[in-house]
Amino acid sequence: MSILIKNGRIITATDNYLADIFIEGETIQAIGQHLNMQASQVIDADGMLVFPGGIDPHVHLDMPFMGTFSSDNYETGTRAALHGGTTMVIDFILQKQGNSLRAALEEWQGRSNNNCVGDYSFHMAVTDFNDNTKAEVRDMIEQEGITSFKTFMAYKGALMIDDRQMVGLMQEVKKHGGLINVHATNGDMIDFLVAKHKSEGKLAPLYHYLSQPEVTEAEASGRFADMANYTGCPGYIVHLTCEGALNAVRMATRRNQKVFVETCIQYLILDASLYEKNFEGAKWVMSPPLRQPKDQETLWAGINQGLVQVVATDHCPFKWEQKLMGKDDFSKIPNGHPAIENRMELLYSEGVHKGRISLNKYVEVACTNPAKIFGMFPRKGTIAVGSDADIVLFDPNKKHTLSAKTHHMNVDYSGYEGWEVTGKVETVLLRGKVAIDKGECKIEKGYGKFIKRNKVKQTI
Ligand code: URP
Ligand code: ZN
Ligand code: ZN
C-alpha cells in the first residue's frame, strides 16, 4: 500500500513549506516538490495544512476512579482521538496500594489489548513505593518500554505518596533513565478544605473549586521541583493550571533546573465562572479545577516563553449519570472532563487562529514535544523521512460548532457545547493507513499499536 499526498503545506515544529509526501507501508519514504512516484492512492491536499499526528500524553480510558470507570474505553477513546487529529495517546496505569506494578500492568493490558483504534502507550502510576516496587522500575523501563512514572501528591488513601516515597522513587527512576510525572497539588491542604466546606454544609460544585486554591498547586509544584532538583531526576508536572505553580517552575529555572510542564486545553480557554452554574458546574469538576482569566494569560505566555512545553487534555470523561453521584456532595463528583477529540481543533482555533501562538508552536506543543519528552521522537511527532506516517490534513478555514450531538466520545454532554471553531480535521493517517476520512473512521479496533518508548532525555 502506498499513498501520495500532493500539494499540502507541511507544518512541523520548525518548518512551513509546500511539498508532497510519499508513504509506503507504515512510514514516510520521501518528501519533496512535484514527487512523481506511482502510488495506490493519491490525496489532494491543496489548501490544507499538513500536521504530524497529534499526541495527547494525558488521558484516562476505562479507568477505575472514584467508585466508577471513565466512560470512554480504549476503542471509543482512541477512535474519538483520531476524529480530532490525535493519532497517539498515553494513558495511565494505576498501581493498587499493596499490589505490584506488574499486576497493574496486566490489569490494564486486559482492558486495552486489541481494543485500541489509535496508537497508545502507558505511564505507570506508582501509588505505593517500597522495596518490591523499587525492584520493578528497571523492568518497566527496559522490558516494557514504559519510561515515565506518575505520582500523585493528592488523593490521599488511594493514590497519594508521601515525600519519602517520592524521593526514593526519583532516585530509582533516574538511575534507569526514566522520568517522573506528577499531579502536583497539596493533598493534605485540599483534604482539610474539603472537610471544612462539608462541615459548613457547602456542598455544591463551586466548593470543589474553593477547596483547591492556587496555593495548593503552587506549593506542591515548588516542592516537587525541589525534590527533582535534589535527586537530579527529570520531572514533568501534568495539568498545570495557574500563575503560582508556573512561577514555582520559573524559580527553578533560576538555579538552571529544567522541569517540564504540561497544561491542558481547558485551562487555557475555560475559567472558574463555570462553577457558578449550580450543579451543571459538575461537568467541569476536575482536579486541579479551572482557574481565573489571569491564569489563562499566564499559561499562553508560558507556552510562548517555552516554560510550558505540552498541551494535553487529561481526558477523563464521565457521563451525566455518573456526575450525579455527587449531586448532594461535591467531593463525590467523579473528577474529570472530556476533550480528547477537541484538543487539536480548539488549540488551533483559540491559539493559532486568534494569534496567540504560531503554527510552529502549535505543532511543537501538540505533537513534537510530547514525542520528544516521552521517548518516541522522531518515530512520532514530526513529518520526516523514516517517521511513522501519522499525518493530519487540516482545513484552516472551515468553521464548525462543537456539540455532544456530533462528537464521538462516549459521553452525553460536551464541555464545549456550541463553541464555534475555525479549522477542521479533514483526513487522518495512522501508520500509513487512512484512519479518518470526511468524518468517517476507516480502521477497526486492534489496529492501534502499543508503542514501546525509549529512555528519556533531560533536554528537548
Ligand atoms: O480531574 C481529573 N484530573 N481526573 C483525572 C485524574 C487526574 O487527577 O488526572
Ligand atoms: Zn491529576
Ligand atoms: Zn489525569
Side-chain angles (χ1 to χ4, degrees):
M1 182 69 192
S2 56
I3 297 179
L4 185 58
I5 301 176
K6 296 285 290 177
N7 307 317
R9 176 163 289 281
I10 297 175
I11 314 290
T12 68
T14 48
D15 299 314
N16 177 336
Y17 59 105
L18 281 172
D20 304 337
I21 302 174
F22 179 66
I23 297 158
E24 202 161 34
E26 296 197 346
T27 57
I28 296 171
Q29 298 294 321
I31 301 174
Q33 287 184 341
H34 314 299
L35 293 183
N36 58 7
M37 285 90 166
Q38 290 300 311
S40 355
Q41 188 180 356
V42 177
I43 300 176
D44 182 11
D46 192 23
M48 297 282 160
L49 299 178
V50 182
F51 298 136
I55 300 177
D56 187 343
H58 190 155
V59 307
H60 303 275
L61 302 175
D62 215 351
M63 182 177 84
F65 190 55
M66 295 185 73
T68 184
F69 278 77
S70 54
S71 61
D72 262 317
N73 61 26
Y74 289 90
E75 179 182 356
T76 62
T78 57
R79 189 190 295 126
L82 285 168
H83 277 283
T86 290
T87 49
M88 164 147 193
V89 300
I90 314 184
D91 184 63
F92 291 85
I93 298 174
L94 305 180
Q95 176 196 18
K96 271 201 195 84
Q97 292 180 343
N99 288 0
S100 65
L101 302 183
R102 173 69 48 191
L105 172 60
E106 285 168 3
E107 186 188 333
W108 257 254
Q109 285 171 333
R111 288 194 288 272
S112 59
N113 273 1
N114 304 314
N115 283 329
C116 289
V117 188
D119 285 355
Y120 68 108
S121 176
F122 291 127
H123 308 283
M124 173 62 73
V126 178
T127 64
D128 187 1
F129 183 69
N130 52 45
D131 286 347
N132 297 333
T133 328
K134 184 175 174 186
E136 295 188 272
V137 165
R138 181 182 179 170
D139 255 20
M140 288 298 144
I141 295 177
E142 290 183 1
Q143 311 297 320
E144 305 299 339
I146 295 175
T147 54
S148 46
F149 296 81
K150 170 77 177 288
T151 56
F152 291 89
M153 297 169 83
Y155 303 120
K156 200 169 189 169
L159 302 173
M160 178 169 155
I161 58 171
D162 61 24
D163 294 348
R164 182 184 61 82
Q165 295 182 76
M166 180 74 87
V167 171
L169 177 64
M170 281 177 164
Q171 284 185 339
E172 197 60 19
V173 167
K174 175 188 159 60
K175 190 156 108 194
H176 299 293
L179 169 148
I180 300 275
N181 34 27
V182 66
H183 172 127
T185 62
N186 183 317
D188 285 318
M189 277 176 88
I190 293 167
D191 288 351
F192 170 81
L193 289 168
V194 168
K196 175 177 177 294
H197 287 133
K198 284 170 66 167
S199 73
E200 293 166 354
K202 295 172 173 164
L203 300 168
L206 177 65
Y207 292 95
H208 170 79
Y209 165 64
L210 294 173
S211 298
Q212 301 201 31
E214 182 171 3
V215 62
T216 59
E217 194 180 332
E219 185 281 330
S221 300
R223 184 158 36 103
F224 175 79
D226 286 345
M227 291 186 280
N229 191 46
Y230 171 70
T231 57
C233 184
Y236 175 104
I237 300 178
V238 305
H239 56 38
L240 186 141
T241 69
C242 58
E243 186 182 9
L246 196 62
N247 280 342
V249 173
R250 205 184 306 271
M251 284 304 287
T253 66
R254 298 178 64 173
R255 61 185 172 211
N256 309 321
Q257 186 186 0
K258 174 103 181 181
V259 179
F260 296 120
V261 173
E262 163 200 289
T263 191
C264 299
I265 187 66
Q266 60 271 27
Y267 301 120
L268 289 164
I269 64 175
L270 303 178
D271 69 61
S273 59
L274 290 167
Y275 298 122
E276 279 152 27
K277 289 175 170 241
N278 294 323
F279 194 70
E280 202 198 337
K283 289 179 184 168
W284 299 280
V285 163
M286 62 187 84
S287 292
L290 301 174
R291 303 284 186 197
Q292 296 296 323
K294 61 111 179 138
D295 298 299
Q296 297 174 342
E297 273 176 43
T298 297
L299 294 174
W300 285 113
I303 289 174
N304 284 318
Q305 291 162 341
L307 278 173
V308 176
Q309 294 86 21
V310 173
V311 178
T313 60
D314 193 8
H315 176 75
C316 191
F318 296 100
K319 292 188 175 175
W320 188 241
E321 164 191 49
Q322 295 172 290
K323 288 282 184 180
L324 285 173
M325 289 163 69
K327 71 180 183 344
D328 300 320
D329 175 355
F330 70 85
S331 70
K332 297 201 166 60
I333 301 169
N335 285 201
H337 107 305
I340 203 167
E341 184 171 353
N342 306 131
R343 178 186 69 131
M344 299 287 283
E345 290 179 345
L346 280 171
L347 185 63
Y348 182 87
S349 190
E350 294 294 312
V352 181
H353 178 68
K354 291 197 173 165
R356 290 171 167 136
I357 57 172
S358 71
L359 264 175
N360 298 116
K361 186 55 97 172
Y362 172 78
V363 170
E364 185 185 328
V365 297
C367 317
T368 312
N369 281 347
K372 285 186 173 173
I373 293 170
F374 293 110
M376 298 179 283
F377 186 84
R379 176 177 178 185
K380 303 282 190 192
T382 195
I383 295 180
V385 172
S387 295
D388 279 1
D390 300 347
I391 292 174
V392 176
L393 305 190
F394 192 87
D395 182 341
N397 299 314
K398 199 173 216 171
K399 293 188 192 307
H400 60 117
T401 305
L402 302 183
S403 173
K405 291 193 190 81
T406 48
H407 74 203
H408 301 83
M409 299 176 283
N410 184 35
V411 54
D412 48 1
Y413 59 86
S414 168
Y416 306 94
E417 190 65 43
W419 273 63
E420 302 276 343
V421 170
T422 301
K424 190 163 189 341
V425 171
E426 291 291 343
T427 305
V428 179
L429 275 72
L430 174 58
R431 282 182 286 102
K433 264 203 176 183
V434 175
I436 302 292
D437 190 29
K438 296 182 192 72
E440 261 187 58
C441 186
K442 303 288 188 187
I443 55 176
E444 302 291 329
K445 75 172 181 180
Y447 184 74
K449 244 191 204 170
F450 179 77
I451 305 295
K452 283 193 173 187
R453 294 185 283 113
N454 298 321
K455 293 190 182 187
V456 165
K457 295 193 185 78
Q458 178 85 56
T459 51
I460 56 170

